[in-house]
Amino acid sequence: MSSCPVIHGAGASSAPAFPIKRQCPFHPPKQYEDFQQQAGPTKVQMWDGTEAWLFTRYEEVRNVLADNRFSGNPAIKGFPSLSPARNAVLEAEPAFIRMDPPEHGRHRRMLTKEFMIKRVSALRPKIESIFNRLLDRMIEKGPPANLNEDLFLPFTSEVIADLLDVPHKDHAFFQEQSLKKVLLDVDPSIPKEASAKILDYLDKLITERAKNPVGDDMLSRLIVEQVQPGHLTHRELVVMADLLLMAGHETTANQMALGVYSFLTNPDQLQLLLGDPALLRGAVEEMLRFHTIVHYNAFRVALEDVEVAGQLIKKGESVIALIAGANRDPSIFPNPDKFDITRKADHHVAFSFGIHQCLGQPLARVELQTVFSTLFQRMPTLKFAVPAEQIKGKGDHFVLGVESLPVTW
Ligand code: HEM
């Protein structure tokens, strides 16, 4: 059972404002269902008075994301603006997540082999041992615990720090600053110093590493294979490392927290998982689909006139392809508001679609599979330390999650 009701068909106005507030932080706004009834996009109005075409149906969302005539570069006129806070974040030096071809591909290809399923699978034993060590520490300290701060954030941050070979003594700094940086997306008044501190830290780390890049780590490989031959500048590598850190740390931790929330509010699904470990992989895909935590990722602007689902989108017009809508499209995922670990959800678009599809997805999957094959198995009495209704979802954040996850056992 979810701790808030599923409301159907709340009704949409003719030009709804976007973003639409969630009625429940754990479900997309019910207006998406109304939009899905009509083929083609819905016109929405942004906070600054501009308009955008909003796509919410699975096929159409994928068609937009697969079409490079739509740009993901926020510097291009017409790129939709989510909020003043998001504008401030997007003003930073662009990493390849904000680039278009051919620049985007040039950068992304440098990292492809680092995130290949085979390479990431080889890291599984190490990832499992990091998780078990942190879980031992939490169990030893005794209940209650906050799973976000005591387990998931340290876990995902250690995994990224390990990939980049960040010295152990700097892990706490690394984690503290990246958490502050994440808040920039929600509150424009937060000073940008956390962002600057991380870039500064990575700059120094890479400068040091470049003096002797002999280690078996990603940064050393990128220095030797890309920076030294002149394919990538030092600064571009700093910005790339910053993207990996930001894209791969809080996202995966939030997904873990929401996964735990879903299992504890759906004990029948937890029993299914515990009774049949073969359901693990599907369960992870279902939690990715169900929560679609990076729900406002796919903002685009048309580089030329493009027709999608019978609608002409003119050059310079704003487009939003909502993966959170696509993943709850009932024509693709029947009874989409049910968290059902037995469904086939592999074709979800929680990692987006097209050229910007998440590069780190094999790593995210191994981390999530590690958590959900271990946590409840080692702690069968795990439960919320407060009534479920008091667990607050980050419904309006750029990346969804829960504010805190107090548990006991
Ligand atoms: C549950 C965890 C995660 C989710 C739900 C997620 C989701 C996403 C989504 C939706 C995008 C597309 C963004 C856009 O179109 O603007 C994306 C891109 C990206 N993600 Fe993830 N991500 C996760 C974990 C990770 C991890 C662990 C890493 C790496 C350490 C990572 C690295 C990236 C990178 C580098 C991109 C940019 C890809 C490109 O533009 O070519 N992500 N992710």
Side-chain angles (χ1 to χ4, degrees), residues 96-98 104 108 115 160 243-244 247-248 251-252 255 288 293-294 297 300 323 350-352 355-360 363-364 367:
F96 64 89
I97 194 167
R98 302 283 155 248
H104 166 266
R108 182 169 167 132
F115 287 96
I160 289 283
L243 168 64
L244 292 180
T251 42
T252 323
Q255 182 65 68
L288 287 160
I293 57 170
V294 191
N297 73 305
R300 299 287 187 266
I323 55 174
F351 288 122
S352 195
I355 60 166
H356 290 289
Q357 185 169 154
C358 181
L359 177 72
L363 180 63
E367 291 178 275

Side-chain angles (χ1 to χ4, degrees), residues 42 97 118 150 166 199 203 237 243 288 292 337 350 352:
T42 307
I97 194 167
K118 217 170 129 195
D150 296 331
V166 171
L199 283 169
D203 190 327
L237 179 55
L243 168 64
L288 287 160
T292 314
D337 296 327
S352 195

Side-chain angles (χ1 to χ4, degrees), residues 91-159:
E91 275 163 18
E93 283 168 274
F96 64 89
I97 194 167
R98 302 283 155 248
M99 293 175 189
D100 289 335
E103 227 25 38
H104 166 266
R106 190 174 72 77
H107 282 235
R108 182 169 167 132
R109 276 192 297 276
M110 295 178 188
L111 287 170
T112 323
K113 74 170 190 239
E114 298 291 341
F115 287 96
M116 269 164 37
I117 296 177
K118 217 170 129 195
R119 179 164 240 162
V120 172
S121 298
L123 295 175
R124 193 183 285 267
K126 192 167 203 185
I127 290 173
E128 287 173 351
S129 112
I130 294 175
F131 184 68
N132 276 301
R133 176 168 43 76
L134 291 167
L135 187 57
D136 287 343
R137 190 182 72 178
M138 191 184 90
I139 293 173
E140 223 173 271
K141 256 175 83 187
N146 176 353
L147 283 184
N148 276 351
E149 280 167 23
D150 296 331
L151 190 60
F152 297 148
L153 285 165
F155 174 45
T156 56
S157 134
E158 263 206 50
V159 170

